Amino acid sequence: MSQHDAVEVITAKRDRQQLTDSQIDWVIDAYTRGDVADEQMAALAMAVLLNGMNRREIGRWTAAMIASGERMDFSVLSRPTADKHSTGGVGDKVTLPLAPLVAACGVAVPQLSGRGLGHTGGTLDKLEAIPGWRAGLSNAEMLAQLDDVGAVVCAAGSGLAPADKKLYALRDVTGTVESIPLIASSIMSKKIAEGTGALVLDVKVGSGAFMKDLGAARELASTMVELGTDAGLTTVALLTDMATPLGLTAGNALEVRESVEVLAGGGPADVVELTLALAREMLAAAGTTGVDPADKLADGSAMDSWRRMIAAQGGDPEAALPTARETQVVTADADGVLTRLDALAVGRCAWLLGAGRARKEDPVQAAAGVELHAKPGDAVTAGQSLLTLHTDEADRFERALSSLAGAFDVAPAGTAYTPTPVVLDRISAP
Amino acid sequence: MSQHDAVEVITAKRDRQQLTDSQIDWVIDAYTRGDVADEQMAALAMAVLLNGMNRREIGRWTAAMIASGERMDFSVLSRPTADKHSTGGVGDKVTLPLAPLVAACGVAVPQLSGRGLGHTGGTLDKLEAIPGWRAGLSNAEMLAQLDDVGAVVCAAGSGLAPADKKLYALRDVTGTVESIPLIASSIMSKKIAEGTGALVLDVKVGSGAFMKDLGAARELASTMVELGTDAGLTTVALLTDMATPLGLTAGNALEVRESVEVLAGGGPADVVELTLALAREMLAAAGTTGVDPADKLADGSAMDSWRRMIAAQGGDPEAALPTARETQVVTADADGVLTRLDALAVGRCAWLLGAGRARKEDPVQAAAGVELHAKPGDAVTAGQSLLTLHTDEADRFERALSSLAGAFDVAPAGTAYTPTPVVLDRISAP
């Protein structure tokens, strides 16, 4: 690898030049090894955020992060593989029913997940609400479970894209998170290194999502679809609504309960619709045809896969889920129509109740969260329960309730309400 | 002081907002104390470089850096004070004759100087070529010498603007040097903390200067004049030519020799002209009238001040200066007129010969450097000496000579040559 130096690479991007392949390879490798210091990478990240990178640069940056670690290989499996990645939202428990559902349709799902930070929940935190379930698997255990059960949701090992792990932690403290090239390369480096054959991206749009507007979400989705396609993965993105929470729960055990309802053939309509839409995209991307995932929800085979998946990781799928020691109900002031219920406010409320963490090392409460009794478009009556807040610590209610100020609108009965579609757009390789 | 956090300040500047006074005070103080990490300040510095700061922000940033350390006070002196700061050039030895000359005119000169880095020389490196001379003085020694001799050139103590010291070192390795707000606040925080009553800025323009074009130099000069004026200093800037080296020498002992020639009433015309122009500005800014510094060169009183200034810091003004073990001459290929002699190339050549340093901890050779035998506008004949290269290590000649490729042009005899004025422009407070 040819030699560069950090100031040369930083000043090139600062001065709006394209970085060469050789500069990108060098800087990612040198940063991983510690030869480029955190302060140098922080300056480069800010220059990238403000001056951008083109498709070639982002692709090379992603490849360099993949090359910083190991790359998994699922070609030994008898089944095709497909994975899903969501950019994060409030009440987004879809991975839980989706992974066993797709497995029940004959496609293996190797889902490496993370924990929640801030107002968006983490899939591992949710599954850890199930007594006995453990997130940590060796690569061999993961492969064996994929071969046997067809679905695994576990923590990403430290060997995948270590450059991304280091860079992600740096961006978090240096105001350099909000860069589409850096977000896209971070997500895609892990997903490509993970070794999935097909990938469906769920890019959330709205107050509860990282991307607040459709234009930015579309740009992020297109960038990730390009990166996946260029790396040889069949990659598709759905842009989906996150103006209001998904389903009727936000919180770890609460979301597991709702996911099991979906696997049992029930559950909220929006969760079912999104789960099926993503399942169909994953099956198509994996090249599997002739299977309707709705049948697998109806005939109980998705639930069977769920039970086997949970049990394989030490969890007891029949065990009672933890419930909160304290609850408090928020009621409607007047009769009318609920026209808005803000995803970010509900997410913050759940977080303040103990469902999420402020710092990486904080614990989470399994039972904390928010239960919704109405969704936008529903008629409500004065005094009716709108939300139930759950927590183990009653002193959390005050701040949690204050986070709900202005979080919902009730309009006079008869006010017209136009529902927002669950899936807003679909982006695939041209 | 109100509380902020680093990501809030970084993202504000990243998103093109003005930083508040409170944010600036907090971030500079927290960085000095180590509560804001280097990687956070690096991201902020890059955001400042790319998105700028307005006059209020730069003023507050400068004030916060001054407040990070001690501030000197020369009001006890019986004389007014004036200082000069040059942005750095090749062969710029003007501080050496200027400080004693202004002192001889009755204005005290408290000149805190630095060492050279890269192709521009450092005043302390030059004076250290004088046997016995030492750069380090306590504040009390500095004050006593100012009172007695009227001029002192010494190293800045670590107590002045420690925030700037830390930030300057960070900018050097993070590609964030080239920012007018950061350059101006760095220079002015030290000069204001130093306690001078008046300040004359010599902003160099051209290949051998930090500022390559007149527009950028004018912007830097105006920014610094505003900062000084806002802080209550009488501040004036001259924009001066640095397309070609100043005088006929670049190198430590070589420049001391030339400075002594100027103090003796001789020396190259451009060095004399710039020394007198800066001296007149310093006297005017300090409110001293009726003294012509040219008289003080002619009557030997500037030389007397020089001898006392050197002796007061342990130097022997009569001692022989070191001479280089090896020399090599570069000659003209043809008869004609020297129309260009590039300052940056000569500076690099002197640096490669050992006159400067690549890293802060490197030593310098006192005797190394370049002697010029012709300046642009001079007629030259084939075989005539153009330059003499001096070094203690003959193996340095090859790289030093190669740095002179394309460094000068000789046009046919009779080619018209328009000399560039020494002083290009003058900027004062409106």
Side-chain angles (χ1 to χ4, degrees), chain A residues 91-149:
Chain A
D92 180 13
K93 70 280 296 174
V94 167
T95 294
L96 277 56
L98 181 64
L101 172 59
V102 171
C105 298
V107 171
V109 182
Q111 171 93 47
L112 298 183
S113 289
R115 292 174 199 283
L117 193 61
H119 74 276
T120 59
T123 297
L124 300 182
D125 294 328
K126 294 171 193 177
L127 287 168
E128 281 175 349
I130 300 172
W133 189 87
R134 63 188 173 88
L137 294 185
S138 70
N139 288 356
E141 288 172 324
M142 184 184 175
L143 198 64
Q145 183 173 333
L146 269 183
D147 199 39
D148 178 28
V149 181

Short mmCIF file of all heavy atoms in Angstrom, two decimals, chain A residues 91-149:
data_model
loop_
_atom_site.label_atom_id
_atom_site.label_comp_id
_atom_site.label_asym_id
_atom_site.label_seq_id
_atom_site.Cartn_x
_atom_site.Cartn_y
_atom_site.Cartn_z
N GLY A 91 -40.87 2.01 18.17
CA GLY A 91 -41.80 0.88 18.06
C GLY A 91 -41.48 -0.05 16.91
O GLY A 91 -42.30 -0.89 16.54
N ASP A 92 -40.27 0.07 16.37
CA ASP A 92 -39.91 -0.74 15.21
C ASP A 92 -39.38 -2.10 15.67
O ASP A 92 -38.18 -2.32 15.76
CB ASP A 92 -38.87 -0.02 14.36
CG ASP A 92 -38.48 -0.84 13.14
OD1 ASP A 92 -39.18 -1.83 12.83
OD2 ASP A 92 -37.46 -0.51 12.51
N LYS A 93 -40.34 -3.02 15.91
CA LYS A 93 -40.01 -4.38 16.37
C LYS A 93 -40.01 -5.37 15.22
O LYS A 93 -40.01 -6.59 15.44
CB LYS A 93 -40.98 -4.83 17.47
CG LYS A 93 -42.40 -5.12 17.04
CD LYS A 93 -43.30 -3.91 16.87
CE LYS A 93 -43.52 -3.16 18.17
NZ LYS A 93 -44.31 -1.88 17.89
N VAL A 94 -40.01 -4.87 13.99
CA VAL A 94 -40.29 -5.75 12.84
C VAL A 94 -39.30 -6.89 12.69
O VAL A 94 -39.67 -7.98 12.25
CB VAL A 94 -40.40 -4.89 11.55
CG1 VAL A 94 -40.37 -5.76 10.31
CG2 VAL A 94 -41.69 -4.09 11.60
N THR A 95 -38.04 -6.67 13.09
CA THR A 95 -37.07 -7.77 12.98
C THR A 95 -37.56 -9.03 13.69
O THR A 95 -37.30 -10.15 13.23
CB THR A 95 -35.71 -7.33 13.56
OG1 THR A 95 -35.18 -6.29 12.76
CG2 THR A 95 -34.72 -8.49 13.61
N LEU A 96 -38.26 -8.84 14.80
CA LEU A 96 -38.63 -10.00 15.63
C LEU A 96 -39.58 -10.95 14.90
O LEU A 96 -39.28 -12.15 14.80
CB LEU A 96 -39.23 -9.53 16.97
CG LEU A 96 -38.22 -9.17 18.07
CD1 LEU A 96 -37.23 -8.12 17.66
CD2 LEU A 96 -38.95 -8.78 19.36
N PRO A 97 -40.70 -10.49 14.33
CA PRO A 97 -41.51 -11.43 13.53
C PRO A 97 -40.89 -11.74 12.16
O PRO A 97 -41.09 -12.84 11.62
CB PRO A 97 -42.85 -10.70 13.37
CG PRO A 97 -42.55 -9.25 13.59
CD PRO A 97 -41.40 -9.21 14.56
N LEU A 98 -40.13 -10.76 11.61
CA LEU A 98 -39.66 -10.91 10.22
C LEU A 98 -38.65 -12.04 10.05
O LEU A 98 -38.74 -12.84 9.09
CB LEU A 98 -39.06 -9.58 9.75
CG LEU A 98 -38.53 -9.53 8.33
CD1 LEU A 98 -39.66 -9.73 7.32
CD2 LEU A 98 -37.83 -8.19 8.07
N ALA A 99 -37.67 -12.11 10.96
CA ALA A 99 -36.59 -13.10 10.79
C ALA A 99 -37.15 -14.53 10.77
O ALA A 99 -36.88 -15.29 9.84
CB ALA A 99 -35.52 -12.91 11.85
N PRO A 100 -37.98 -14.92 11.76
CA PRO A 100 -38.52 -16.28 11.69
C PRO A 100 -39.50 -16.48 10.54
O PRO A 100 -39.57 -17.59 9.97
CB PRO A 100 -39.22 -16.46 13.05
CG PRO A 100 -39.39 -15.08 13.61
CD PRO A 100 -38.30 -14.24 13.03
N LEU A 101 -40.21 -15.43 10.17
CA LEU A 101 -41.15 -15.55 9.05
C LEU A 101 -40.42 -15.88 7.75
O LEU A 101 -40.81 -16.78 6.99
CB LEU A 101 -41.96 -14.25 8.91
CG LEU A 101 -42.85 -14.12 7.68
CD1 LEU A 101 -43.89 -15.24 7.63
CD2 LEU A 101 -43.55 -12.76 7.67
N VAL A 102 -39.34 -15.13 7.48
CA VAL A 102 -38.58 -15.36 6.25
C VAL A 102 -37.91 -16.73 6.30
O VAL A 102 -37.85 -17.46 5.30
CB VAL A 102 -37.57 -14.21 6.02
CG1 VAL A 102 -36.63 -14.53 4.87
CG2 VAL A 102 -38.32 -12.90 5.76
N ALA A 103 -37.44 -17.10 7.50
CA ALA A 103 -36.84 -18.44 7.65
C ALA A 103 -37.87 -19.51 7.33
O ALA A 103 -37.56 -20.52 6.67
CB ALA A 103 -36.30 -18.63 9.07
N ALA A 104 -39.11 -19.29 7.77
CA ALA A 104 -40.17 -20.27 7.51
C ALA A 104 -40.48 -20.38 6.02
O ALA A 104 -41.05 -21.37 5.57
CB ALA A 104 -41.43 -19.88 8.29
N CYS A 105 -40.11 -19.34 5.26
CA CYS A 105 -40.31 -19.34 3.80
C CYS A 105 -39.11 -19.94 3.06
O CYS A 105 -39.08 -19.94 1.83
CB CYS A 105 -40.58 -17.94 3.31
SG CYS A 105 -42.08 -17.18 3.97
N GLY A 106 -38.09 -20.39 3.79
CA GLY A 106 -36.97 -21.08 3.15
C GLY A 106 -35.74 -20.25 2.88
O GLY A 106 -34.79 -20.72 2.23
N VAL A 107 -35.72 -19.02 3.36
CA VAL A 107 -34.53 -18.18 3.17
C VAL A 107 -33.91 -17.92 4.55
O VAL A 107 -34.61 -17.55 5.50
CB VAL A 107 -34.91 -16.83 2.49
CG1 VAL A 107 -33.73 -15.86 2.51
CG2 VAL A 107 -35.38 -17.09 1.06
N ALA A 108 -32.60 -18.14 4.67
CA ALA A 108 -31.92 -17.96 5.95
C ALA A 108 -31.66 -16.48 6.22
O ALA A 108 -31.30 -15.74 5.31
CB ALA A 108 -30.61 -18.74 5.96
N VAL A 109 -31.86 -16.08 7.49
CA VAL A 109 -31.71 -14.67 7.87
C VAL A 109 -30.60 -14.52 8.92
O VAL A 109 -30.79 -14.86 10.09
CB VAL A 109 -33.03 -14.11 8.44
CG1 VAL A 109 -32.86 -12.63 8.79
CG2 VAL A 109 -34.17 -14.30 7.46
N PRO A 110 -29.43 -14.03 8.50
CA PRO A 110 -28.31 -13.82 9.44
C PRO A 110 -28.33 -12.37 9.91
O PRO A 110 -27.70 -11.51 9.31
CB PRO A 110 -27.09 -14.09 8.56
CG PRO A 110 -27.51 -13.63 7.19
CD PRO A 110 -29.02 -13.74 7.11
N GLN A 111 -29.08 -12.10 10.98
CA GLN A 111 -29.30 -10.71 11.38
C GLN A 111 -28.38 -10.32 12.52
O GLN A 111 -28.59 -10.69 13.68
CB GLN A 111 -30.76 -10.53 11.81
CG GLN A 111 -31.08 -9.20 12.43
CD GLN A 111 -31.58 -8.16 11.45
OE1 GLN A 111 -32.46 -8.45 10.64
NE2 GLN A 111 -31.00 -6.98 11.49
N LEU A 112 -27.35 -9.53 12.20
CA LEU A 112 -26.48 -8.97 13.24
C LEU A 112 -27.08 -7.64 13.66
O LEU A 112 -27.27 -6.76 12.84
CB LEU A 112 -25.07 -8.78 12.70
CG LEU A 112 -24.38 -10.07 12.25
CD1 LEU A 112 -22.96 -9.78 11.81
CD2 LEU A 112 -24.38 -11.09 13.37
N SER A 113 -27.39 -7.53 14.93
CA SER A 113 -28.12 -6.34 15.40
C SER A 113 -27.33 -5.58 16.45
O SER A 113 -26.29 -6.04 16.94
CB SER A 113 -29.47 -6.75 15.97
OG SER A 113 -30.32 -7.15 14.93
N GLY A 114 -27.88 -4.41 16.80
CA GLY A 114 -27.23 -3.57 17.81
C GLY A 114 -28.17 -3.29 18.96
O GLY A 114 -29.30 -3.76 19.01
N ARG A 115 -27.65 -2.51 19.89
CA ARG A 115 -28.46 -2.07 21.02
C ARG A 115 -28.93 -0.65 20.76
O ARG A 115 -28.41 0.05 19.91
CB ARG A 115 -27.62 -2.14 22.31
CG ARG A 115 -27.33 -3.58 22.69
CD ARG A 115 -26.40 -3.73 23.86
NE ARG A 115 -25.86 -5.09 23.83
CZ ARG A 115 -26.52 -6.16 24.22
NH1 ARG A 115 -27.74 -6.05 24.70
NH2 ARG A 115 -26.00 -7.37 24.12
N GLY A 116 -29.95 -0.25 21.52
CA GLY A 116 -30.50 1.08 21.31
C GLY A 116 -29.65 2.15 21.94
O GLY A 116 -28.96 1.93 22.93
N LEU A 117 -29.69 3.35 21.35
CA LEU A 117 -29.04 4.51 21.95
C LEU A 117 -29.98 5.67 21.68
O LEU A 117 -30.46 5.85 20.57
CB LEU A 117 -27.67 4.74 21.30
CG LEU A 117 -26.75 5.73 22.02
CD1 LEU A 117 -26.42 5.28 23.43
CD2 LEU A 117 -25.46 5.91 21.23
N GLY A 118 -30.28 6.44 22.72
CA GLY A 118 -31.24 7.53 22.56
C GLY A 118 -32.65 6.98 22.41
O GLY A 118 -32.97 5.93 22.97
N HIS A 119 -33.47 7.68 21.61
CA HIS A 119 -34.90 7.37 21.60
C HIS A 119 -35.28 6.18 20.73
O HIS A 119 -36.42 5.74 20.76
CB HIS A 119 -35.70 8.60 21.17
CG HIS A 119 -35.61 8.87 19.71
ND1 HIS A 119 -34.57 9.58 19.15
CD2 HIS A 119 -36.40 8.49 18.68
CE1 HIS A 119 -34.75 9.64 17.85
NE2 HIS A 119 -35.84 9.00 17.53
N THR A 120 -34.35 5.66 19.91
CA THR A 120 -34.71 4.48 19.11
C THR A 120 -34.28 3.22 19.85
O THR A 120 -33.20 3.17 20.45
CB THR A 120 -34.04 4.51 17.71
OG1 THR A 120 -32.63 4.55 17.88
CG2 THR A 120 -34.50 5.70 16.92
N GLY A 121 -35.13 2.22 19.81
CA GLY A 121 -34.84 0.99 20.53
C GLY A 121 -33.85 0.12 19.77
O GLY A 121 -33.62 0.30 18.58
N GLY A 122 -33.27 -0.85 20.48
CA GLY A 122 -32.35 -1.79 19.85
C GLY A 122 -32.93 -3.19 19.89
O GLY A 122 -33.50 -3.61 20.90
N THR A 123 -32.77 -3.90 18.78
CA THR A 123 -33.36 -5.24 18.68
C THR A 123 -32.84 -6.17 19.77
O THR A 123 -33.59 -6.97 20.35
CB THR A 123 -33.07 -5.82 17.28
OG1 THR A 123 -33.73 -4.98 16.33
CG2 THR A 123 -33.60 -7.24 17.14
N LEU A 124 -31.56 -6.08 20.09
CA LEU A 124 -31.01 -6.97 21.12
C LEU A 124 -31.62 -6.67 22.48
O LEU A 124 -31.90 -7.59 23.26
CB LEU A 124 -29.49 -6.85 21.19
CG LEU A 124 -28.74 -7.20 19.89
CD1 LEU A 124 -27.23 -7.09 20.12
CD2 LEU A 124 -29.10 -8.58 19.38
N ASP A 125 -31.82 -5.38 22.78
CA ASP A 125 -32.47 -5.02 24.05
C ASP A 125 -33.86 -5.65 24.14
O ASP A 125 -34.28 -6.09 25.21
CB ASP A 125 -32.62 -3.50 24.17
CG ASP A 125 -31.27 -2.79 24.26
OD1 ASP A 125 -30.32 -3.39 24.82
OD2 ASP A 125 -31.18 -1.65 23.78
N LYS A 126 -34.57 -5.66 23.04
CA LYS A 126 -35.93 -6.21 23.04
C LYS A 126 -35.89 -7.72 23.32
O LYS A 126 -36.60 -8.22 24.20
CB LYS A 126 -36.61 -5.92 21.69
CG LYS A 126 -36.84 -4.42 21.48
CD LYS A 126 -37.31 -4.07 20.07
CE LYS A 126 -37.17 -2.55 19.89
NZ LYS A 126 -37.53 -2.09 18.54
N LEU A 127 -35.05 -8.43 22.58
CA LEU A 127 -34.99 -9.90 22.75
C LEU A 127 -34.49 -10.28 24.14
O LEU A 127 -34.87 -11.32 24.68
CB LEU A 127 -34.13 -10.52 21.65
CG LEU A 127 -34.81 -10.54 20.28
CD1 LEU A 127 -33.82 -10.90 19.19
CD2 LEU A 127 -35.99 -11.53 20.27
N GLU A 128 -33.65 -9.43 24.71
CA GLU A 128 -33.14 -9.73 26.07
C GLU A 128 -34.23 -9.62 27.13
O GLU A 128 -34.00 -10.01 28.29
CB GLU A 128 -31.94 -8.83 26.39
CG GLU A 128 -30.68 -9.34 25.73
CD GLU A 128 -29.45 -8.44 25.89
OE1 GLU A 128 -29.61 -7.29 26.35
OE2 GLU A 128 -28.34 -8.89 25.54
N ALA A 129 -35.39 -9.10 26.77
CA ALA A 129 -36.53 -9.12 27.70
C ALA A 129 -37.07 -10.55 27.89
O ALA A 129 -37.79 -10.83 28.84
CB ALA A 129 -37.65 -8.20 27.19
N ILE A 130 -36.69 -11.44 26.96
CA ILE A 130 -37.14 -12.83 27.06
C ILE A 130 -36.20 -13.58 28.02
O ILE A 130 -34.99 -13.63 27.78
CB ILE A 130 -37.11 -13.52 25.68
CG1 ILE A 130 -38.04 -12.76 24.71
CG2 ILE A 130 -37.48 -15.00 25.78
CD1 ILE A 130 -37.93 -13.23 23.27
N PRO A 131 -36.74 -14.16 29.08
CA PRO A 131 -35.88 -14.83 30.06
C PRO A 131 -34.95 -15.86 29.41
O PRO A 131 -35.40 -16.72 28.64
CB PRO A 131 -36.89 -15.50 31.01
CG PRO A 131 -38.10 -14.62 30.94
CD PRO A 131 -38.16 -14.16 29.50
N GLY A 132 -33.64 -15.74 29.71
CA GLY A 132 -32.66 -16.71 29.24
C GLY A 132 -32.00 -16.39 27.92
O GLY A 132 -30.93 -16.92 27.60
N TRP A 133 -32.62 -15.55 27.12
CA TRP A 133 -32.09 -15.31 25.77
C TRP A 133 -30.76 -14.57 25.82
O TRP A 133 -30.60 -13.62 26.58
CB TRP A 133 -33.11 -14.49 24.95
CG TRP A 133 -32.74 -14.39 23.49
CD1 TRP A 133 -33.05 -15.27 22.51
CD2 TRP A 133 -31.99 -13.34 22.88
NE1 TRP A 133 -32.54 -14.84 21.31
CE2 TRP A 133 -31.87 -13.65 21.51
CE3 TRP A 133 -31.38 -12.17 23.35
CZ2 TRP A 133 -31.20 -12.85 20.60
CZ3 TRP A 133 -30.69 -11.37 22.44
CH2 TRP A 133 -30.61 -11.70 21.08
N ARG A 134 -29.80 -15.01 24.99
CA ARG A 134 -28.50 -14.34 24.98
C ARG A 134 -28.12 -13.90 23.56
O ARG A 134 -28.35 -14.62 22.58
CB ARG A 134 -27.42 -15.23 25.60
CG ARG A 134 -27.17 -16.50 24.85
CD ARG A 134 -26.23 -17.45 25.62
NE ARG A 134 -26.17 -18.73 24.91
CZ ARG A 134 -25.30 -19.00 23.93
NH1 ARG A 134 -24.42 -18.10 23.57
NH2 ARG A 134 -25.33 -20.18 23.31
N ALA A 135 -27.51 -12.72 23.49
CA ALA A 135 -27.23 -12.09 22.20
C ALA A 135 -25.89 -12.53 21.60
O ALA A 135 -25.68 -12.45 20.40
CB ALA A 135 -27.22 -10.57 22.36
N GLY A 136 -24.97 -12.99 22.47
CA GLY A 136 -23.62 -13.27 22.01
C GLY A 136 -23.47 -14.68 21.48
O GLY A 136 -23.68 -15.65 22.21
N LEU A 137 -23.11 -14.81 20.22
CA LEU A 137 -22.85 -16.14 19.63
C LEU A 137 -21.49 -16.09 18.94
O LEU A 137 -21.10 -15.04 18.42
CB LEU A 137 -23.91 -16.47 18.57
CG LEU A 137 -25.37 -16.67 18.99
CD1 LEU A 137 -26.19 -17.13 17.79
CD2 LEU A 137 -25.47 -17.71 20.11
N SER A 138 -20.81 -17.23 18.93
CA SER A 138 -19.60 -17.31 18.12
C SER A 138 -20.02 -17.42 16.65
O SER A 138 -21.17 -17.73 16.34
CB SER A 138 -18.78 -18.53 18.52
OG SER A 138 -19.47 -19.70 18.11
N ASN A 139 -19.06 -17.19 15.76
CA ASN A 139 -19.37 -17.33 14.34
C ASN A 139 -19.86 -18.75 14.04
O ASN A 139 -20.77 -18.95 13.23
CB ASN A 139 -18.15 -17.01 13.48
CG ASN A 139 -17.84 -15.51 13.48
OD1 ASN A 139 -18.59 -14.73 14.05
ND2 ASN A 139 -16.74 -15.13 12.84
N ALA A 140 -19.24 -19.74 14.69
CA ALA A 140 -19.63 -21.15 14.44
C ALA A 140 -21.04 -21.41 14.94
O ALA A 140 -21.84 -22.09 14.27
CB ALA A 140 -18.63 -22.09 15.14
N GLU A 141 -21.38 -20.87 16.11
CA GLU A 141 -22.74 -21.04 16.63
C GLU A 141 -23.77 -20.38 15.71
O GLU A 141 -24.86 -20.91 15.47
CB GLU A 141 -22.85 -20.41 18.04
CG GLU A 141 -22.14 -21.19 19.14
CD GLU A 141 -22.11 -20.44 20.47
OE1 GLU A 141 -21.97 -19.19 20.45
OE2 GLU A 141 -22.20 -21.11 21.51
N MET A 142 -23.39 -19.22 15.21
CA MET A 142 -24.29 -18.49 14.32
C MET A 142 -24.57 -19.31 13.07
O MET A 142 -25.72 -19.45 12.62
CB MET A 142 -23.64 -17.16 13.96
CG MET A 142 -24.53 -16.26 13.13
SD MET A 142 -23.60 -14.78 12.65
CE MET A 142 -24.83 -14.03 11.56
N LEU A 143 -23.49 -19.88 12.51
CA LEU A 143 -23.63 -20.67 11.27
C LEU A 143 -24.46 -21.92 11.52
O LEU A 143 -25.35 -22.27 10.73
CB LEU A 143 -22.22 -21.05 10.77
CG LEU A 143 -22.13 -21.48 9.32
CD1 LEU A 143 -22.50 -20.34 8.37
CD2 LEU A 143 -20.71 -21.97 9.01
N ALA A 144 -24.22 -22.56 12.66
CA ALA A 144 -24.98 -23.79 12.99
C ALA A 144 -26.46 -23.47 13.16
O ALA A 144 -27.33 -24.22 12.68
CB ALA A 144 -24.42 -24.40 14.28
N GLN A 145 -26.77 -22.35 13.81
CA GLN A 145 -28.17 -21.99 14.02
C GLN A 145 -28.86 -21.61 12.70
O GLN A 145 -30.03 -21.95 12.48
CB GLN A 145 -28.27 -20.83 15.03
CG GLN A 145 -29.72 -20.46 15.34
CD GLN A 145 -29.82 -19.43 16.45
OE1 GLN A 145 -28.94 -19.35 17.30
NE2 GLN A 145 -30.89 -18.65 16.45
N LEU A 146 -28.10 -20.93 11.85
CA LEU A 146 -28.66 -20.59 10.54
C LEU A 146 -28.99 -21.85 9.75
O LEU A 146 -30.02 -21.93 9.07
CB LEU A 146 -27.64 -19.79 9.73
CG LEU A 146 -27.68 -18.28 9.84
CD1 LEU A 146 -26.63 -17.68 8.91
CD2 LEU A 146 -29.06 -17.74 9.49
N ASP A 147 -28.10 -22.84 9.85
CA ASP A 147 -28.29 -24.09 9.11
C ASP A 147 -29.48 -24.87 9.66
O ASP A 147 -30.28 -25.44 8.92
CB ASP A 147 -27.01 -24.93 9.23
CG ASP A 147 -26.95 -25.99 8.14
OD1 ASP A 147 -27.34 -25.69 7.00
OD2 ASP A 147 -26.50 -27.12 8.46
N ASP A 148 -29.62 -24.82 10.98
CA ASP A 148 -30.66 -25.61 11.65
C ASP A 148 -32.00 -24.88 11.67
O ASP A 148 -33.01 -25.38 11.16
CB ASP A 148 -30.17 -25.88 13.09
CG ASP A 148 -31.21 -26.65 13.90
OD1 ASP A 148 -31.99 -27.40 13.29
OD2 ASP A 148 -31.22 -26.47 15.12
N VAL A 149 -32.03 -23.69 12.24
CA VAL A 149 -33.28 -22.94 12.42
C VAL A 149 -33.60 -22.04 11.22
O VAL A 149 -34.76 -21.81 10.89
CB VAL A 149 -33.20 -22.06 13.70
CG1 VAL A 149 -34.49 -21.29 13.92
CG2 VAL A 149 -32.82 -22.88 14.91
#
